[in-house]
Amino acid sequence: MKFIVMHMCKKFASVFALFFIILHAVAQQYPDSQKDGKYILVNGAKLWVVLVGKGDPLFIIPGGPGGAHISYRSFDPLAAHNMIVYFDAFGRGKSDTAKNVREYSLERDIEDIEGLRVGLHLEQINVLGHSYGGLVAQGYAAKYPQHVKHLVLANTFHSFIMWQENDDNSNHEIKTNYPEVWADLMKIREQGFVSSDPEHQAIYGKVPYGFLYSYNPDNFQRKPESVSSIKPYPNPNNTKLYYQMVGKDGDFIVGSDIGNFDYRTKLKSLTMPVLIYGGRYDRVAVPEMMIKFKEYCPQAHFVMFEYSGHNPQVEEPEKLFPLLNEFLNNGK
């Protein structure tokens, strides 16, 4: 979310309820994220896990960094053919949080996937990583290829260079289309404020989620009158975790873990079936950089969704879900 991705950690907090509402209305038969899960001890922390459906396990790795699984329940229809493993990673949602933010890292998230696999007594798993979750998925597939049956990389990033392009493009779009917001932002930046400061976050938050992340912004409009009866999900996005991993000024200059990751030379060596997809209107995982996956991972099947932004599972599910089912159940 920037589950992330430029300020997705903040923006998902404003839209995750919409995804949940849709599913709450049409998918009552599915387990409830609040109460129908269980805790699994992984690397010294309790992680909240919700299992949906039966069949081969499909791990859905949320974005952010900092996002909980709740906004990914739009993938529930895949449970007709798969056992979806939703989980809140360390520091997110209903899972344990760190006493010191330095405990949060990309490497920790990768190792926690392995810990969850072992804790669930699974030999092989299918892995779908969305946005930041795709970093975790790539890292896990490279380190534990023997345990990955199929790999799906959704609207994600192959390197710190691509994430920096996300920052640069997002800021260009804001400067061009929201000049009044940009002017306010420049004023406080001149005073020394950076991305992780609450004042800076408040101004960034004035840019609608749908502007950078959607093909059709109406798909992400909140309806306050519809959410009043929905119990808020705890810790849906951990902002402190986000800026620990992207750097103090991560909306402008990526640093820390996100400023160092690079999978470009590792992708060609992956031997499991790989599906990579993006959205033509994604302004964060930008198409210009997404298509470079074709070069770095030429063995993968690549799809660009023409009427989606950062979330094809919301904007084009009628095309995405058959593709995923075919790939996960028949892909070689």
Side-chain angles (χ1 to χ4, degrees):
M1 198 149 248
K2 1 189 205 188
F3 282 111
I4 48 322
V5 175
M6 176 238 171
H7 72 305
M8 185 179 295
C9 187
K10 300 186 290 294
K11 285 298 184 181
F12 264 1
S14 69
V15 298
F16 89 91
L18 176 62
F19 300 164
F20 186 52
I21 290 161
I22 295 171
L23 290 163
H24 184 78
V26 303
Q28 292 293 319
Q29 71 272 26
Y30 296 123
D32 184 89
S33 283
Q34 296 271 13
K35 61 183 181 180
D36 294 332
K38 60 182 177 180
Y39 282 106
I40 296 179
L41 187 64
V42 176
N43 295 322
K46 292 187 300 180
L47 303 187
W48 180 249
V49 179
V50 178
L51 305 179
V52 182
K54 296 181 179 180
D56 281 352
L58 171 62
F59 280 51
I60 303 289
I61 308 179
H69 85 275
I70 185 66
S71 65
Y72 287 84
R73 292 301 301 266
S74 48
F75 281 103
D76 276 5
L78 296 179
H81 303 285
N82 308 271
M83 179 180 74
I84 304 179
V85 180
Y86 293 114
F87 67 97
D88 292 338
F90 183 48
R92 293 85 157 177
K94 296 183 68 174
S95 294
D96 285 348
T97 55
K99 294 181 179 180
N100 187 322
V101 293
R102 293 182 180 180
E103 295 180 52
Y104 299 127
S105 69
L106 175 57
E107 185 60 30
R108 168 69 184 257
D109 286 343
I110 292 170
E111 287 303 316
D112 281 355
I113 299 298
E114 176 63 2
L116 281 174
R117 182 194 68 80
V118 173
L120 290 169
H121 309 290
L122 301 170
E123 180 56 33
Q124 280 197 311
I125 60 176
N126 296 313
V127 178
L128 187 157
H130 175 259
S131 198
Y132 165 77
L135 277 60
V136 180
Q138 289 172 84
Y140 183 78
K143 190 169 185 178
Y144 298 101
Q146 71 275 21
H147 295 304
V148 181
K149 189 174 182 181
H150 298 86
L151 174 65
V152 182
L153 302 177
N155 302 82
T156 191
F157 309 86
H158 46 65
S159 63
F160 69 95
I161 292 174
M162 184 176 178
W163 197 296
Q164 184 62 56
E165 179 66 21
N166 147 51
D167 278 15
D168 295 343
N169 186 69
S170 296
N171 287 328
H172 170 75
E173 295 280 358
I174 294 171
K175 180 180 180 180
T176 301
N177 294 280
Y178 284 85
E180 66 279 19
V181 173
W182 187 257
D184 289 343
L185 198 62
M186 291 302 100
K187 288 179 182 177
I188 67 166
R189 289 185 66 83
E190 289 174 359
Q191 298 171 28
F193 291 94
V194 296
S195 304
S196 54
D197 292 319
E199 296 85 351
H200 196 286
Q201 295 174 43
I203 295 175
Y204 252 136
K206 294 179 181 179
V207 179
Y209 179 92
F211 171 66
L212 291 173
Y213 294 90
S214 72
Y215 164 71
N216 180 3
D218 288 345
N219 291 323
F220 301 92
Q221 288 294 327
R222 294 187 65 190
K223 296 179 176 61
E225 68 278 6
S226 301
V227 304
S228 58
S229 62
I230 304 299
K231 181 180 178 181
Y233 196 77
N235 195 22
N237 295 280
N238 187 332
T239 304
K240 291 182 178 179
L241 181 157
Y242 175 79
Y243 286 110
Q244 165 62 23
M245 295 184 66
V246 304
K248 292 177 60 177
D249 200 18
D251 293 337
F252 277 77
I253 303 173
V254 294
S256 193
D257 285 19
I258 303 303
N260 291 285
F261 82 97
D262 195 339
Y263 295 119
R264 290 175 295 173
T265 62
K266 297 181 179 180
L267 291 169
K268 286 184 180 179
S269 66
L270 298 178
T271 58
M272 75 288 293
V274 182
L275 170 65
I276 303 173
Y277 65 84
R280 183 68 68 186
Y281 288 82
D282 196 336
R283 295 297 175 256
V284 288
V286 294
E288 180 184 13
M289 301 297 283
M290 277 295 304
I291 61 172
K292 291 184 181 295
F293 272 110
K294 294 182 180 181
E295 174 186 346
Y296 304 137
C297 193
Q299 74 274 28
H301 180 50
F302 184 92
V303 178
M304 184 69 74
F305 285 85
E306 297 296 335
Y307 302 100
S308 291
H310 199 59
N311 297 280
Q313 74 274 15
V314 174
E315 300 203 271
E316 293 185 84
E318 73 285 353
K319 294 183 179 180
L320 174 61
F321 293 157
L323 172 69
L324 288 173
N325 280 323
E326 175 66 21
F327 174 72
L328 293 172
N329 295 286
N330 301 304
K332 304 299 184 182

